[in-house]
Amino acid sequence: MTDITTGTGNTTDVLLLTLDVNGEQHEVITEPRRTLVDVLRHDLRLTGTHVGCEHGICGACTVLVDDRPARACLMFAAQADGARIRTVESLSDGAELSDLQRAFSDHHGLQCGFCTPGFLMLAEGFLAERPEATKDEIREVVAANLCRCTGYQTIVEAIDGCAVARRCTRGPKES
């Protein structure tokens, strides 16, 4: 993070940030008070991260920051300087959906889709940390985000289905 100075040596109200987003380095000039979600959506044009309540309650803006779920509406972009940020755009490989995205589709874990990116990133971070998660643990985690359409059960089923498939692909747990 670098303060931008004027020709007279006075510091202005903007910062030069280096953000590592989805494996790509971006230099962004922004005001210190701008949120990460605003920089992602407006400066980097990564509109998969949604803005919902802007109070950290709904979870629509959830991204991974250094592999941990974070509310991008509550985080200043300056706080993410030098961190690894992953947005929902990082999940798919071009036209190929990730296993988690396919599980959401297969289990009807989405309806209107507004909350889906936040749930996907919450689940991605959680499953990376807890690949052996039980349905009860998944249910507890997804309660942190809000969905007005699905009733949560299909979201829990989708995340559990993905977790089970990943465990099967990985094989028996090593002793």
Side-chain angles (χ1 to χ4, degrees):
M1 176 171 27
T2 306
D3 288 331
I4 306 294
T5 58
T6 63
T8 61
N10 296 328
T11 302
T12 64
D13 291 333
V14 295
L15 302 171
L16 173 62
L17 306 177
T18 302
L19 300 178
D20 177 344
V21 182
N22 300 333
E24 294 182 22
Q25 296 289 317
H26 299 272
E27 287 192 343
V28 177
I29 297 173
T30 189
E31 297 167 344
R33 70 176 186 270
R34 286 202 53 224
T35 61
L36 179 58
V37 73
D38 285 337
V39 169
L40 291 171
R41 289 182 59 80
H42 301 292
D43 296 0
L44 302 183
R45 304 285 187 227
L46 296 169
T47 57
T49 303
H50 291 166
V51 180
C53 67
E54 296 186 81
H55 295 285
I57 296 168
C58 74
C61 66
T62 302
V63 297
L64 298 183
V65 177
D66 289 333
D67 301 320
R68 308 260 339 198
R71 306 287 206 226
C73 76
L74 294 181
M75 185 175 201
F76 291 117
Q79 291 174 287
D81 188 49
R84 288 180 330 278
I85 303 161
R86 285 185 60 202
T87 67
V88 70
E89 288 89 352
S90 73
L91 293 180
S92 67
D93 182 19
E96 183 71 29
L97 295 178
S98 72
D99 59 343
L100 183 58
Q101 290 170 310
R102 284 191 310 274
F104 265 67
S105 178
D106 293 345
H107 292 272
H108 308 288
L110 53 109
Q111 285 184 17
C112 82
F114 187 80
C115 65
T116 305
F119 274 107
L120 286 166
M121 297 314 293
L122 179 68
E124 184 74 7
F126 177 68
L127 291 180
E129 187 176 303
R130 297 269 306 125
E132 306 292 329
T134 66
K135 274 192 183 181
D136 285 339
E137 291 171 323
I138 293 168
R139 192 171 285 107
E140 186 176 326
V141 165
V142 301
N145 283 22
L146 298 178
C147 175
R148 295 178 182 235
C149 300
T150 66
Y152 297 92
Q153 187 57 35
T154 57
I155 294 170
V156 171
E157 295 292 335
I159 297 168
D160 183 59
C162 181
V164 168
R166 286 180 181 180
R167 288 192 295 265
C168 288
T169 302
R170 193 177 64 220
K173 192 174 181 178
E174 294 180 14
S175 306

